[in-house]
Amino acid sequence: MTVEEHRDPLSSEVKPREAAVGPHPPDIHVQTPRLLRAWQVTAFALALAASSWVATCFVYSPRVAASDVIDVLGYVIQPTHFKSLPAHRIASFEPHSPLPSAGVEVGDLIVDPPRGTLLPGESVQLQIRNGGGFRTIDIRSSQIGQLSSLVSNVVTLCLNALVLVLGVMIAFRRRRDVAALAIGCALLLAVMEGPNIFPVGLLGRLNVLFGNACSVFAIAALAYSALTFEAGYRSRARPYLVRVLIGFCATWGIVILIWVAPYCLGWIWLSPDTVLGPILSMGVIAALLLCFLAFADAWRHIQGEPRQRFRWVIAAVAIALAGTSLDLLRFLGVFGDTTNAETLVAVATAILGAVAFITLTYAVLRHRVIDVGFIISRTLVFAVFTGLLLVLFGLVEWLVDHLVHFKRRESSALLDALIAVTIFLMLHRVRDGIERLVERVFFRASHARPTALQQFLETAPNFSEPDALAGALLKAVDAYAGSRGSGIYRRDKTGRFVLDKSTLDQLPRVLAADTEVIVELKTSHKPYQFGRLGFELAALALPVVRRAELVGFLAVAEKTDRTVFRPDEIESLLRAVHQVNSDLYALQLERFQQRSQELEQQNEALREELRSFGPSPTSLAKTS
């Protein structure tokens, strides 16, 4: 076993540190600056791409009721090729297909098949190869989009906009956390699977390409987030899972570039007859399997409070992957090849995606699975509820306008005035009710912790033992800050600062008088946030000042969720330290007074005892 010297950044002492040895294989994942930078660049690029794609989707949002070209043409696909062009071989026709009336038969090829959607009245041109000849036909759409397709497109469009907001917020607010960046990238990749609303052409082809490629990468990013949750964990399987996951992503990227992308964009050099379908399905199956193994291994080894938060991540991911599994089963033909089955599966997938998004959002805002900041969380929640409230009142007004009709203008004006007064009277009540509901559901902990700290400060003057008061302060600070522990340092006679009481064993026991944190606290008398506090614990130091002199400080270790201390939290902790310091000083003065009284009583008893022995010889000699 090798030993190397390790210098504690808060102490001048040099401590031995043992090299990492043991039965575990070397962990290739270390959150190095290069790795973190790679994830940050990836998240930034995906944020730009996803934002552009969602904006494009909203430009074509009036086509949400359009039908897919294949649904309009009504034929069952067998992927193939003709020379360097992709093609569809017609296996069978749906009853509503217009192709048989145009002279197209089973077994014919549709060369370079169109991809996109058609509105009623729009036409599409098809290149048909029949036997040894070519012919071109125009098919005009008279089919109105089904309700299930409309619901799926609307849900997907709205969901993608919300997922984009959540993904960007996570990626940029937690840009120094690899696990959070991986989840943010997974959400941004999911946004690229847009609704089927684009017209025939390049956008329709890109939509098919993104749908085939991004879902696999999104699942792989979720698996990576599990392997790096809470800065990673130690297990025998984790390094191998990381290697396999990286190799799989590289392989899938090569497959997309040389096979799937050319086929979707209209050019191909490898035959897709019997290989393309299995490759796509095998890619999704492999990604699902790796994701399951990653989450299972992480669940086995993550313990304590992080395990409670990781449970919510598992719930959201499980719901999302259930939708992906449904789509995979549809692709494998489990539900049949009918158009109704495909549209119903699409609706079910969109609904499961919405439920997964709601679950993840609730976990982020309520349980701080990924802490994006208190202010942003409140702003986001209240903005959503305010928007829903406005939509509700707008819907009520629309229903009244379309369902209630008056012949006389005076009656209509009276109804409008009545509706306006009712909305005005109800708005404040509904708003207050929603505010109480939001505070109780999403921000209960943010109110409970300050209340508990305030209750402790009210009871602090009633303590009679300094040691008990110091221990109660540390417990209250840990509960309020959600920290891994804290400790009280006091200055000794030599000027050093010694750990007097602590709830965390890893804190340094002695700090020299010229340590950086001590010099900073002496200079500014303000809270100081450490870069590192012994054994890689980011921390906060709250000074204890008496008559412009630093006599100690309270060291608070990093939070369990690895977020920074907010200014309001620092202010509350500093106020608690000042009050308890006053109470401890008062107890110390009481101890001194009590001791002084005890000594005075002892002196008086000794004087009485001396008087009982009569006058001393010295006093008699002076008298004589």
Side-chain angles (χ1 to χ4, degrees):
M1 178 179 297
T2 60
V3 177
E4 58 178 333
E5 288 188 342
H6 168 60
R7 184 174 297 275
D8 196 318
L10 293 182
S11 175
S12 59
E13 301 177 3
V14 178
K15 303 178 181 180
R17 183 177 65 185
E18 296 180 352
V21 296
H24 298 292
D27 195 344
I28 64 170
H29 172 78
V30 180
Q31 188 167 323
T32 61
R34 182 176 298 178
L35 175 66
L36 182 62
R37 178 63 63 184
W39 274 102
Q40 289 172 345
V41 171
T42 302
F44 180 75
L46 287 177
L48 290 179
S51 300
S52 302
W53 188 246
V54 170
T56 306
C57 289
F58 273 96
V59 170
Y60 289 93
S61 59
R63 302 178 60 90
V64 292
S67 298
D68 190 272
V69 171
I70 297 178
D71 294 337
V72 173
L73 298 180
Y75 66 94
V76 178
I77 302 171
Q78 285 185 353
T80 183
H81 73 290
F82 178 75
K83 297 182 179 179
S84 63
L85 296 175
H88 286 169
R89 187 179 301 279
I90 300 176
S92 61
F93 293 109
E94 297 285 348
H96 67 272
S97 176
L99 295 180
S101 60
V104 182
E105 301 177 352
V106 174
D108 289 352
L109 295 183
I110 300 179
V111 180
D112 194 13
R115 294 176 175 86
T117 59
L118 292 176
L119 288 171
E122 292 183 345
S123 62
V124 61
Q125 191 175 76
L126 303 179
Q127 299 181 43
I128 306 297
R129 176 174 172 78
N130 187 353
F134 267 102
R135 63 192 181 99
T136 301
I137 61 174
D138 288 328
I139 301 295
R140 184 173 297 275
S141 173
S142 60
Q143 179 182 353
I144 300 176
Q146 298 181 353
L147 179 61
S148 57
S149 178
L150 173 63
V151 171
S152 174
N153 286 334
V154 170
V155 171
T156 303
L157 184 62
C158 297
L159 184 63
N160 281 358
L162 296 175
V163 171
L164 174 65
V165 173
L166 183 63
V168 170
M169 185 171 60
I170 291 175
F172 284 86
R173 289 292 299 178
R174 298 301 303 274
R175 56 185 177 274
R176 301 194 64 81
D177 184 354
V178 170
L181 286 172
I183 292 180
C185 289
L187 293 174
L188 295 174
L189 285 167
V191 169
M192 303 296 289
E193 301 179 60
N196 192 18
I197 59 176
F198 298 105
V200 174
L202 177 61
L203 289 177
R205 296 177 183 273
L206 288 176
N207 195 36
V208 175
L209 173 60
F210 292 156
N212 288 326
C214 292
S215 59
V216 174
F217 286 120
I219 297 173
L222 289 175
Y224 195 85
S225 70
L227 296 173
T228 55
F229 189 77
E230 290 293 322
Y233 56 90
R234 295 290 297 177
S235 78
R236 185 181 297 273
R238 179 174 174 270
Y240 300 112
L241 287 173
V242 172
R243 290 185 176 92
V244 172
L245 191 60
I246 294 175
F248 169 75
C249 290
T251 303
W252 185 250
I254 294 173
V255 170
I256 294 297
L257 289 176
I258 68 173
W259 207 322
V260 180
Y263 179 79
C264 293
L265 297 178
W267 178 82
I268 194 167
W269 60 281
L270 293 175
S271 174
D273 294 10
T274 59
V275 181
L276 185 60
I279 282 182
L280 294 176
S281 58
M282 286 174 59
V284 177
I285 292 173
L288 289 173
L289 179 60
L290 284 173
C291 192
F292 173 78
L293 293 176
F295 274 90
D297 188 63
W299 178 254
R300 284 186 57 198
H301 295 89
I302 294 177
Q303 301 296 332
E305 190 271 341
R307 186 183 180 94
Q308 304 299 323
R309 293 186 286 116
F310 189 62
R311 181 179 301 169
W312 283 99
V313 178
I314 291 179
V317 170
I319 297 172
L321 295 187
T324 304
S325 301
L326 275 180
D327 193 53
L328 174 63
L329 294 176
R330 190 268 310 168
F331 184 78
L332 296 176
V334 174
F335 303 110
D337 296 328
T338 62
T339 303
N340 290 333
E342 293 184 359
T343 53
L344 289 177
V345 169
V347 171
T349 302
I351 293 175
L352 287 173
V355 174
F357 169 75
I358 293 173
T359 303
L360 181 60
T361 304
Y362 176 78
V364 169
L365 299 179
R366 170 65 178 84
H367 296 279
R368 305 296 188 270
V369 172
I370 304 173
D371 199 312
V372 294
F374 180 74
I375 302 300
I376 291 182
S377 298
R378 287 180 63 88
T379 302
L380 182 62
V381 171
F382 279 105
V384 170
F385 276 91
T386 302
L388 292 177
L389 187 61
L390 294 175
V391 170
L392 176 62
F393 283 122
L395 181 61
V396 170
E397 184 179 1
W398 182 85
L399 290 175
V400 171
D401 289 340
H402 287 75
L403 299 180
V404 181
H405 302 280
F406 293 94
K407 295 182 179 180
R408 300 179 59 185
R409 182 178 181 85
E410 293 79 4
S411 300
S412 178
L414 180 62
L415 179 62
D416 290 340
L418 180 62
I419 292 174
V421 172
T422 303
I423 291 177
F424 176 77
L425 295 176
M426 291 180 58
L427 180 63
H428 297 286
R429 293 180 178 271
V430 175
R431 184 199 62 189
D432 294 340
I434 289 178
E435 184 174 356
R436 288 192 297 270
L437 175 64
V438 169
E439 294 289 350
R440 185 170 61 252
V441 174
F442 289 96
F443 305 107
R444 179 171 53 189
S446 63
H447 290 277
R449 289 184 295 180
T451 302
L453 183 62
Q454 184 61 35
Q455 290 176 352
F456 161 73
L457 293 179
E458 292 174 358
T459 61
N462 300 320
F463 280 83
S464 58
E465 293 293 333
D467 189 65
L469 178 56
L473 171 64
L474 294 181
K475 290 181 180 179
V477 166
D478 292 342
Y480 174 77
S483 63
R484 300 182 184 273
S486 55
I488 297 176
Y489 286 85
R490 297 186 186 278
R491 191 185 62 187
D492 63 6
K493 296 180 180 180
T494 63
R496 300 185 308 170
F497 285 77
V498 181
L499 184 62
D500 182 62
K501 198 172 188 63
S502 172
T503 58
L504 186 64
D505 295 336
Q506 289 90 339
L507 290 175
R509 299 298 172 184
V510 179
L511 298 179
D514 294 332
T515 307
E516 177 184 354
V517 59
I518 303 300
V519 175
E520 182 67 26
L521 292 176
K522 288 179 180 178
T523 304
S524 65
H525 291 175
K526 295 180 180 180
Y528 175 77
Q529 297 197 46
F530 296 97
R532 296 289 177 188
L533 175 59
F535 294 88
E536 300 182 354
L537 294 176
L540 174 72
L542 303 169
V544 177
V545 181
R546 190 173 301 156
R547 296 182 61 85
E549 186 177 0
L550 182 70
V551 297
F553 67 92
L554 174 69
V556 186
E558 68 173 348
K559 295 183 180 182
T560 54
D561 58 3
R562 297 180 180 273
T563 57
V564 298
F565 290 94
R566 302 195 309 268
D568 60 302
E569 292 177 333
I570 296 176
E571 183 179 356
S572 298
L573 290 173
L574 188 61
R575 184 171 61 252
V577 169
H578 286 169
Q579 178 177 329
V580 173
N581 176 46
S582 300
D583 294 334
L584 287 172
Y585 188 60
L587 287 176
Q588 185 179 5
L589 290 179
E590 290 177 1
R591 284 287 185 89
F592 287 155
Q593 292 176 357
Q594 182 180 1
R595 182 60 177 167
S596 176
Q597 292 176 359
E598 292 176 355
L599 292 175
E600 184 64 30
Q601 292 174 359
Q602 291 178 5
N603 290 336
E604 186 63 29
L606 291 174
R607 293 190 190 100
E608 292 294 333
E609 186 176 355
L610 288 174
R611 293 191 190 100
S612 64
F613 290 108
S616 63
T618 305
S619 61
L620 289 176
K622 290 182 179 179
T623 303
S624 60

